[in-house]
Amino acid sequence: MKIKAMSLLLGICLAASAASAASVQSATIAGNQLTIKGTFALPIQSVRLGSSNLTLASSSTTQIVAPLSPIPTIGTYKLSVHDAAGISATSVAVSEKILEGWVNSNGTISSGAGFTVVRNTAGNYTVSWPAGTLYQCCGVLPVVLVRSTWGNSLGNIQYLYHNGNGSGTFTVDFGGVDTYFVFNMTQTY
């Protein structure tokens, strides 16, 4: 009799743990997409960021993906996930996007990550970054600040292009002289 009672109690405990509310472990914004990782009981009833109900692109027992349009302004927002077992809440920070780096005169990267550099000709370089690096829509496109690291000469930005997927490229020229340079792009709202 004790064994049956213990088995019944264990069964009730397992059923209760299987029906626990969503557990959010991380929430990140890349490009125009919010990715929430954790443990979820399907179906997902709703996802709310601040005062906005989000439309889901996909959901599973370990990940929820929702597009963001427009991207919320910089700040901290309450994120709540309502799944089949209950509601879980956490905070998500939206911050500026920064891309910066130091480039050697031969076009190799001295410092920084998330971009590539090509030396086109003497003193002329193209810097590119992949999709999702910057916010894809609705934000202010960042200005590129470039200067040489061996003096105060400013490079001439010949070309700057931002793609709709958050990727882009710019070409900078230092008048035919190979130059060590630093660049910075900060995207804010």
Side-chain angles (χ1 to χ4, degrees):
M1 191 67 154
K2 287 184 181 181
I3 292 176
K4 283 185 180 182
M6 196 157 48
S7 294
L8 180 60
L9 180 61
L10 181 59
I12 292 170
C13 289
L14 287 175
S17 68
S20 63
S23 171
V24 175
Q25 293 158 352
S26 69
T28 56
I29 296 174
N32 289 48
Q33 182 172 285
L34 172 66
T35 302
I36 307 164
K37 294 190 178 191
T39 305
F40 310 105
L42 298 178
I44 303 301
Q45 306 296 324
S46 65
V47 174
R48 189 171 184 85
L49 182 64
S51 61
S52 300
N53 284 318
L54 303 180
T55 302
L56 303 185
S58 65
S59 62
S60 72
T61 58
T62 59
Q63 180 173 288
I64 300 169
V65 177
L68 296 174
S69 183
I71 301 262
T73 59
I74 291 173
T76 301
Y77 297 86
K78 179 180 178 183
L79 170 69
S80 61
V81 175
H82 183 185
D83 67 3
I87 298 174
S88 177
T90 190
S91 295
V92 174
V94 176
S95 59
E96 67 273 353
K97 293 278 199 154
I98 299 172
L99 180 65
E100 61 187 353
W102 291 63
V103 179
N104 296 316
S105 62
N106 64 0
T108 60
I109 297 170
S110 175
S111 175
F115 63 93
T116 59
V117 180
V118 173
R119 179 184 171 273
N120 304 313
T121 59
N124 187 280
Y125 308 88
T126 297
V127 177
S128 302
W129 54 95
T133 301
L134 299 174
Y135 293 125
Q136 299 167 8
C137 84
C138 317
V140 176
L141 296 176
V143 173
V144 179
L145 303 173
V146 178
R147 71 170 177 79
S148 69
T149 57
W150 299 107
N152 287 329
S153 68
L154 300 176
N156 176 28
I157 303 292
Q158 296 180 319
Y159 176 82
L160 171 61
Y161 191 76
H162 297 279
N163 296 309
N165 64 2
S167 67
T169 186
F170 71 85
T171 299
V172 60
D173 187 75
F174 290 95
V177 178
D178 283 338
T179 304
Y180 294 88
F181 67 95
V182 62
F183 73 92
N184 175 286
M185 296 171 34
T186 303
Q187 186 177 28
T188 60
Y189 289 88

